[in-house]
Amino acid sequence: MESLYLLVFRTNSSYKRWDEARKNWGMNINHTRDLVRMGTAFYDKTGVTDEQRKKDLQALSLATWSFVRAMKRHLSPEQEDEQDFRRELHERLPPRQAQAIIDAAHRPNRALFDLSVAIENLPMHFMRKNEIHNAATIFEDNLGSSERLLTSPIPLFYARHTARFLGVWLLLMPFCLYDPFAGSWNHVGMIPATALISIFLFGIEELATSMEEPFTILPMQAFCDKIGNWCNEIVSWEAGDNGMPVNPVLEKYTKFDDEMMADQNYEASRKSRNFLNIPR
C-alpha cells in the first residue's frame, strides 16, 4: 500500500502543475478577448477617419496575439518551433516590430510592451484606457506563474525513486499472489494478474511523468491561433453596425471630468506646497 500512496501523491502533484498551467492559458484566452473588446467599444472616433480606426484596432489585435505567441515560444523547448515562430511573426507583424520581438532577450516582455504602446495609441478617455491596461497587467501575472512552473520542475531523484520503488514492489508481488492462485494449474494465474497490475500502475506513473511538464502536452499553438482569430473578428465590429442604437457621449460629461481633474490637480498642488512650506 505504501507504493500506491507514493504513486498517488506524485500523480496529484503532477496534476496540480498541469491544472495551474491550463488555468493560466484559460486566463489568457479570457482576457485577450476582454482587452480587445474594450478597446474596440471604447474607441473614440471623434475626428478620426475610418482608415485610422481600422489601423489602430488592427495594431491592438496583432499586439495581443503576438504576446500569447511569444509566451508560447518562451515556454516551449529550446528549438521546438523557433522557425515557425519567426515565420508567423514576419507574416503578421510589420517587419521592424517582428524583428524587435525576435531579437529581445525576453520576448514576451517585448511583446507586452508593444501591447501597452498599442493601447496608449487608442483615442479614448484616460479612465477607460486604464481599465484596458489593468486587463493587460493580468498577462504578466499569467506569464510569471507559468515561468515558475517551467523553472521549478519536480526533482529528478523524486521521480526516479518512485519508479524504482514501484518496480521493486511489482517484482515482489508474485510471492504475495502465490497462495491466492493455488487453485490454478501450477499457479499460472498469477502471471497474467501480475502483468495486468504492472501495466496499470506503470501507466499511472507514466501519466504523472507526462503531466510534470504541462507545456509539452497543452495545445498552446491551437490556443494562440484561436486568440488571433477571435481578436481579428472583434476589432472588425463597430458600434451600431447591427442596427442597435448608440447613444452619443454627452459633452457635459466630458466637461465635468475635465473640471474634476482640474480640481484634483489643484488640491494636490496645494497640499504639496503646504507640506514643503512653499509660499504661493
Side-chain angles (χ1 to χ4, degrees):
M1 291 300 293
E2 288 78 5
S3 62
L4 296 181
Y5 290 146
L6 184 62
L7 187 61
V8 169
F9 178 77
R10 178 161 180 257
T11 304
N12 287 341
S13 300
S14 300
Y15 177 79
K16 288 180 180 178
R17 291 171 58 85
W18 177 86
D19 188 54
E20 183 175 356
R22 179 186 62 84
K23 289 179 179 178
N24 288 340
W25 274 95
M27 291 287 287
N28 278 345
I29 293 174
N30 293 343
H31 285 279
T32 50
R33 294 182 293 195
D34 195 36
L35 184 150
V36 177
R37 172 188 58 80
M38 289 190 293
T40 305
F42 292 167
Y43 194 96
D44 187 0
K45 288 185 59 179
T46 305
V48 180
T49 63
D50 292 339
E51 291 76 11
Q52 185 62 40
R53 176 184 180 274
K54 182 178 179 181
K55 180 180 178 181
D56 291 341
L57 293 179
Q58 186 63 26
L60 178 68
S61 174
L62 289 176
T64 305
W65 167 83
S66 65
F67 167 74
V68 293
R69 186 61 182 89
M71 179 174 171
K72 187 265 181 185
R73 178 66 193 91
H74 183 68
L75 299 174
S76 300
E78 186 66 25
Q79 294 298 330
E80 181 178 285
D81 72 332
E82 180 66 23
Q83 296 302 321
D84 292 337
F85 173 72
R86 293 171 178 261
R87 175 181 54 80
E88 289 182 34
L89 257 60
H90 281 294
E91 287 178 354
R92 300 195 184 194
L93 300 179
R96 291 185 61 184
Q97 183 179 354
Q99 195 60 42
I101 295 176
I102 293 172
D103 294 340
H106 195 287
R107 291 165 171 175
N109 278 345
R110 175 67 205 203
L112 193 59
F113 172 79
D114 293 344
L115 177 58
S116 297
V117 174
I119 295 172
E120 282 297 316
N121 289 337
L122 299 178
M124 64 180 62
H125 194 276
F126 76 95
M127 295 185 67
R128 291 183 168 184
K129 192 173 293 186
N130 287 343
E131 288 297 320
I132 303 179
H133 278 300
N134 289 336
T137 301
I138 298 176
F139 296 152
E140 191 70 53
D141 296 335
N142 293 336
L143 176 61
S145 176
S146 298
E147 286 179 329
R148 185 180 68 251
L149 295 175
L150 182 68
T151 58
S152 303
I154 293 179
L156 183 61
F157 174 78
Y158 177 72
R160 289 179 175 177
H161 180 73
T162 304
R164 292 166 183 166
F165 191 91
L166 182 61
V168 172
W169 189 81
L170 291 173
L171 285 175
L172 297 177
M173 179 176 288
F175 296 100
C176 299
L177 298 179
Y178 188 84
D179 289 337
F181 283 94
S184 63
W185 176 79
N186 202 22
H187 303 272
V188 72
M190 69 180 184
I191 298 177
T194 302
L196 188 62
I197 294 174
S198 300
I199 291 173
F200 286 140
L201 293 183
F202 275 120
I204 296 174
E205 199 274 336
E206 182 64 25
L207 179 63
T209 302
S210 299
M211 289 191 298
E212 286 175 4
E213 302 296 336
F215 302 113
T216 61
I217 57 178
L218 284 175
M220 295 188 294
Q221 183 63 46
F223 294 156
C224 294
D225 293 340
K226 290 180 179 179
I227 288 172
N229 293 335
W230 290 331
C231 290
N232 288 335
E233 181 184 29
I234 293 174
V235 297
S236 68
W237 299 335
E238 187 174 355
D241 60 0
N242 60 347
M244 181 179 179
V246 180
N247 295 327
V249 178
L250 298 181
E251 183 179 355
K252 66 178 183 179
Y253 291 155
T254 304
K255 182 178 179 181
F256 173 77
D257 290 339
D258 293 339
E259 291 176 352
M260 181 179 66
M261 284 301 300
D263 292 341
Q264 290 178 350
N265 291 336
Y266 171 76
E267 184 66 20
S269 177
R270 186 183 64 82
K271 291 181 178 179
S272 177
R273 286 177 175 272
N274 291 339
F275 177 76
L276 298 175
N277 294 322
I278 300 176
R280 300 184 181 181

